[in-house]
Amino acid sequence: MPAPHVPRGRYANPDHRDRARQEGRLEETMDQAASLDLGARTAETNVYRKITWRIMPFIVVCYLVAYLDRVNVGFAKLQMMSDLGFSDAVYGFGAGVFFIGYFIFEVPSNLALHKLGARIWIARIMITWAIISALTLFVTTPIQFYAARFFLGLAEAGFSPGIMLYLTYWFPAKKRGFALGFYYIAIPLAGVVGGPVSGLILQYFDGSTVMKAWQWLFLLEAAPSLIAGVAVLYLMVDRPEQAKWLTDAEKAEVSAELRHEDGDKVVHATSMDFLKDVRIWKLSGVYFMTIIGLYGISFWLPSIVKESGIKDVATVGWLSAIPYLVAIPSIILTGISADRTRRRRAHFSAALAIGALGLALAGYVGQSPAAAVFWLSIGTAGMLSALSLFWGVPCAFLAGTSAAAGIATINCIGNLAGFVSPYMVGGLNVLTGNPAFGLYAVAACMLAGAILMRIIPASLGDR
């Protein structure tokens, strides 16, 4: 009797052969899914890369000229104080009163932007502050100086939180860390550009028969803001769906992702619900301490460099640019690392603590320009890296009008530190006769902000 036929090959059993076919189809399906997922991720990366390079460079330019108008008073101080007979206390109060006007109009300004659109409202802000900044050249008394700074703050109120809100219309939370880092590059760029330019203006126009060099400074540095404000009307696009440079598919992709993300965010039903949200008040406290550091550096850095032994104002300008130049790669790398690890709180606290250490040691070095610039570089890089990470937290859990009001509230309360910081440093300088004590106080506030961030829940801060 012939032996039964036994199938030869890898799968002698028909059941095994069927299972192999099924496994092969499954592997093929998984490969196709992986390929599609990779393609989707690549497409997503491409659309946000396109958005970044189309809107962010212009936003950086706008913030650069805004920030320059806000803090060029730090360079004007080198000459205007002696010309007008102002003390450090008068200067500190005038520099800080800007933020009282800023505080008053902050929330209404952001709500107006949400309603009217960024293009119209940002242009309005930039054009009015350019005019008022230029008019500062006419001040002759402390009261006039205070009034000019107050109305400048009133005009500029809403610009920075308005841009923060604007970025939530274009980037989901997982992409916003890099966008915010890109945006905050404008602050060190303002220092890199503004320091040498301001120093050269003060030097070149010294001895002008038309008006004082510091008056030329206010006039000439207002012009870029006016030009940029007009350009906003032609170059800014309010929402992705209005962007002619995005395809219909790209518009739909971005809009869908933002709508999906907004479904998990908070929109407060009433004003009372908003006011009861303790997370907003905690973040306001953290931001307040951070801004103490920002303006401790911005308003006093040229003076610290000068007091370290540099007398020539042009040299002060060039050396003042170095800390801001060092901060640029620090901001970018910190933002990338925080996005990848999703540990925004830890990155923020570490950066702000390092900034506090650098600023404190900058006040300790005395007559050593190299040491002063080195520690100011550490302080500036740490502080600005922390600042670039901060707004990723409230933007990750607020949406709609709550985002507009929340960002503005945190910003306006935090920016009251812009009044406290220069007034505190100026007052301590007058009281103690030693500028180091003002820097120590600023560093202590920054360290407190680094600690306070740790009370924010990880589920909120590290999304």
Side-chain angles (χ1 to χ4, degrees), residues 78-431:
L78 299 177
Q79 292 182 356
M80 75 180 292
M81 286 182 61
S82 58
D83 285 346
L84 302 179
F86 291 174
S87 68
D88 268 3
V90 169
Y91 166 75
F93 184 83
V97 79
F98 168 95
F99 294 97
I100 302 300
Y102 201 90
F103 175 84
I104 291 171
F105 201 50
E106 186 90 346
V107 175
S109 178
N110 230 34
L111 293 174
L113 183 146
H114 186 62
K115 182 177 181 179
L116 300 175
R119 186 179 66 88
I120 296 295
W121 200 248
I122 294 297
R124 193 284 306 164
I125 290 173
M126 297 188 71
I127 291 169
T128 54
W129 96 49
I131 294 169
I132 294 172
S133 181
L135 292 175
T136 307
L137 69 89
F138 293 109
V139 304
T140 58
T141 68
I143 296 300
Q144 291 173 352
F145 180 50
Y146 301 155
R149 294 292 297 174
F150 174 82
F151 284 109
L152 183 64
L154 206 65
E156 194 180 325
F159 177 80
S160 188
I163 294 296
M164 302 296 174
L165 180 63
Y166 180 67
L167 293 180
T168 68
Y169 301 156
W170 292 86
F171 296 96
K174 64 184 179 181
K175 300 289 184 181
R176 208 172 294 136
F178 177 73
L180 289 169
F182 201 127
Y183 171 61
Y184 272 106
I185 287 174
I187 295 180
L189 279 179
V192 171
V193 175
V197 169
S198 297
L200 289 171
I201 290 173
L202 290 176
Q203 184 182 56
Y204 182 79
F205 286 96
D206 190 26
S208 169
T209 57
V210 179
M211 55 187 175
K212 299 290 187 179
W214 60 267
Q215 293 174 306
W216 280 109
L217 179 69
F218 284 121
L219 178 63
L220 294 175
E221 291 191 349
S225 298
L226 183 62
I227 295 169
V230 174
V232 165
L233 292 170
Y234 297 95
L235 299 179
M236 185 170 277
V237 179
D238 285 336
R239 301 269 185 166
E241 52 268 27
Q242 299 169 350
K244 295 179 180 179
W245 38 267
L246 288 177
T247 67
D248 290 341
E250 289 170 335
K251 294 175 185 178
E253 178 185 349
V254 174
S255 298
E257 185 161 9
L258 291 172
R259 280 197 304 271
H260 175 73
E261 184 180 86
D262 285 348
D264 296 328
K265 293 182 179 180
V266 175
V267 179
H268 298 95
T270 66
S271 299
M272 188 56 64
D273 290 338
F274 175 82
L275 294 174
K276 288 179 180 178
D277 193 335
V278 295
R279 297 171 298 183
I280 291 172
W281 304 111
K282 288 178 181 179
L283 287 169
S284 297
V286 174
Y287 193 59
F288 183 91
M289 295 302 179
T290 307
I291 296 301
I292 288 276
L294 174 63
Y295 291 111
I297 290 174
S298 299
F299 288 132
W300 296 96
L301 190 150
S303 297
I304 296 168
V305 173
K306 184 178 180 181
E307 289 163 5
S308 71
I310 303 296
K311 302 304 179 185
D312 179 68
V313 290
T315 304
V316 170
W318 286 107
L319 291 178
S320 296
I322 294 174
Y324 293 108
L325 190 63
V326 172
I328 292 174
S330 176
I331 291 171
I332 295 172
L333 294 174
T334 304
I336 291 173
S337 179
D339 274 354
R340 287 179 177 174
T341 62
R342 298 295 177 91
R343 298 185 64 194
R344 188 175 289 112
R345 296 178 312 141
H347 281 73
F348 174 92
S349 295
L352 198 58
I354 290 169
L357 175 65
L359 197 59
L361 291 174
Y364 181 75
V365 296
Q367 294 289 307
S368 174
V373 171
F374 175 81
W375 289 114
L376 282 170
S377 297
I378 299 298
T380 304
M383 186 279 303
L384 290 178
S385 295
L387 186 63
S388 71
L389 296 174
F390 175 82
W391 288 107
V393 179
C395 290
F397 74 94
L398 294 172
T401 55
S402 290
I407 293 169
T409 299
I410 293 167
N411 197 67
C412 76
I413 291 174
N415 269 302
L416 283 176
F419 170 77
V420 173
S421 182
Y423 192 53
M424 174 181 71
V425 175
L428 286 171
N429 287 356
V430 173
L431 182 65

